[in-house]
Amino acid sequence: MSLLSIRHLSSGYPGGFTIRDVSLEVERGAVVGIIGPNGSGKSTLLATVMGDLSPMSGRISLGEKDLRLLSRRERACAISVVSQMIDPIAITLRDYVAMGRLPHHPPLYYFESTADQEVVDQSIRMVGMEPLAHRYMTELSGGEQQMGAIAQALCVEPRLLLLDEATAHLDITHTVRVLSLVRSLAKDQTHPLTILAVLHDLTMASEYCDYLVLMRDGQVYAQGRPEEVLTEEHIGEVYRMPVTITAHPISGRPMVLPRMA
Ligand code: ADP
Ligand code: MG
């Protein structure tokens, strides 16, 4: 059974942009990449899965439950999100990461148990941010803040992790570190995490995702394994840009190379 099931979903902004008839089944432990040009509806889709937007029609279920039946708190424990924009606040990175434990406690009551402390420390360790744990978020670079946001999302210990261009401010080393980390968490034998990630870099998406969803104008244009979705015809058509697709010399996965004008 799928961990996340999206059936004939329409959602968006009343009188404005909508995504239409989106259907997607995400298996537990899968890393699913959402790709598509700017404005194609990727963030709208993630915002609807997160519950920030209500479906206009169709349904979303997590495990066996319709998402609408989950309370805000249940949802906040089950799904965490890292978005492209982080509003840094003047607290330490460690305190920022620890905020990921809040949904697991009653409102306005947070006493950090030993178990919470372990999860916080482990989340910081996983993204390699121990040296900066006691620095203020406002004193970190955009990339460091983004690593902090990823640690906070992991600290929730969610069933589903949503990444919306979460590697946008990261250099190649940190991008690879984050994508390898989330992939290894998804492939964990005992508690696999399931990941839905909006990625702009098509070659990274190809390398790290099991399955890709290519969006255009609010609809799914193609979905399937990277080699099914990343074809010269699909990418040329959706991005209106000629590309050459070749196999990665080591992994054999498709690599997308723009044909320079
Ligand atoms: P993507 O993430 O693929 O770049 P989005 O889902 O963010 O695209 O946006 C799709 C469309 O929805 C865009 O045309 C954008 O202008 C519009 N949009 C995004 N956020 C809002 C909003 N809060 N209110 C109205 N329209 C919005
Ligand atoms: Mg977006």
Side-chain angles (χ1 to χ4, degrees), residues 110-121:
Y110 181 60
F111 172 76
E112 200 173 283
S113 67
T114 316
D116 288 321
Q117 277 173 23
E118 276 170 22
V119 181
V120 174
D121 293 336

Side-chain angles (χ1 to χ4, degrees), residues 13 17 36-45 164-165:
Y13 310 97
F17 176 86
N38 292 331
S40 56
K42 305 177 299 295
S43 296
T44 305
L45 173 61
D164 193 353
E165 295 184 40

Side-chain angles (χ1 to χ4, degrees), residues 55-70:
M56 292 164 172
S57 60
R59 67 176 259 167
I60 306 179
S61 24
L62 188 70
E64 289 178 344
K65 248 188 163 176
D66 190 311
L67 264 194
R68 283 172 299 194
L69 302 177
L70 296 183

Side-chain angles (χ1 to χ4, degrees), residues 210-231:
D210 304 305
Y211 195 85
L212 293 179
V213 179
L214 172 60
M215 296 196 63
R216 178 171 82 167
D217 299 336
Q219 287 180 297
V220 174
Y221 182 87
Q223 60 176 302
R225 286 179 290 109
E227 45 290 15
E228 293 167 333
V229 173
L230 296 175
T231 64

